[in-house]
C-alpha cells in the first residue's frame, strides 16, 4: 500500500521518477521498484516525501492568503515558487 501512496505523492508534487531519483539519491529504477512494490521504501524517504507534501500544501495556502490580502499576483507567485524550491530542496 505504501508504494501506491509514495507514487501518488510524487505525482502530486509534479516530480518525474528521474527527478525524484536525483532528490532521493537513488536511481530511477529504484524509484520504479519502490512504486511497484518490489522494493521496500526506506523510512527516511517516506518521511522526506511527507515533508515535501506538507511544504507544498503550506505554500499553496500562503499563496491563496496573499492573493486574498491584496498582494499582487506576480509577487505572490514569486513567493510561492521560492517556497516550493526550498521545500523540494529539503530546506
Amino acid at each position: 500500500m505504501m508504494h501506491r501512496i509514495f507514487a501518488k505523492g510524487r505525482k502530486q508534487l509534479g516530480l518525474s521518477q528521474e527527478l525524484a531519483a536525483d532528490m532521493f539519491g537513488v536511481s530511477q529504477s529504484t524509484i520504479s521498484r519502490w512504486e511497484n512494490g518490489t522494493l521496500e521504501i526506506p523510512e527516511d524517504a517516506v518521511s522526506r516525501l511527507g515533508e515535501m507534501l506538507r511544504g507544498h500544501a503550506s505554500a499553496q495556502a500562503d499563496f491563496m492568503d496573499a492573493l486574498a490580502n491584496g498582494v499582487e499576483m506576480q509577487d505572490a507567485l514569486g513567493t510561492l515558487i521560492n517556497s516550493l524550491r526550498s521545500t523540494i530542496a529539503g530546506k
Side-chain angles (χ1 to χ4, degrees):
M1 182 71 150
M2 182 54 67
H3 63 282
R4 290 187 185 132
I5 294 170
F6 188 92
K8 185 175 182 178
R10 175 187 60 78
K11 291 173 186 174
Q12 283 180 317
L13 291 169
L15 301 175
S16 65
Q17 286 187 342
E18 292 82 8
L19 184 54
D22 287 343
M23 295 174 68
F24 288 99
V26 298
S27 67
Q28 180 274 325
S29 64
T30 295
I31 297 290
S32 178
R33 292 190 328 236
W34 287 354
E35 292 182 355
N36 68 29
T38 60
L39 184 63
E40 186 176 340
I41 306 169
E43 196 70 33
D44 62 325
V46 172
S47 294
R48 178 133 186 250
L49 183 67
E51 290 170 13
M52 292 166 59
L53 287 165
R54 283 188 294 280
H56 182 71
S58 176
Q60 286 179 327
D62 290 347
F63 172 72
M64 296 306 290
D65 286 345
L67 290 180
N69 290 315
V71 174
E72 293 292 324
M73 175 70 80
Q74 185 173 359
D75 293 335
L77 281 172
T79 300
L80 174 65
I81 290 168
N82 289 334
S83 179
L84 290 173
R85 282 183 181 145
S86 292
T87 299
I88 290 172
K91 297 179 182 173

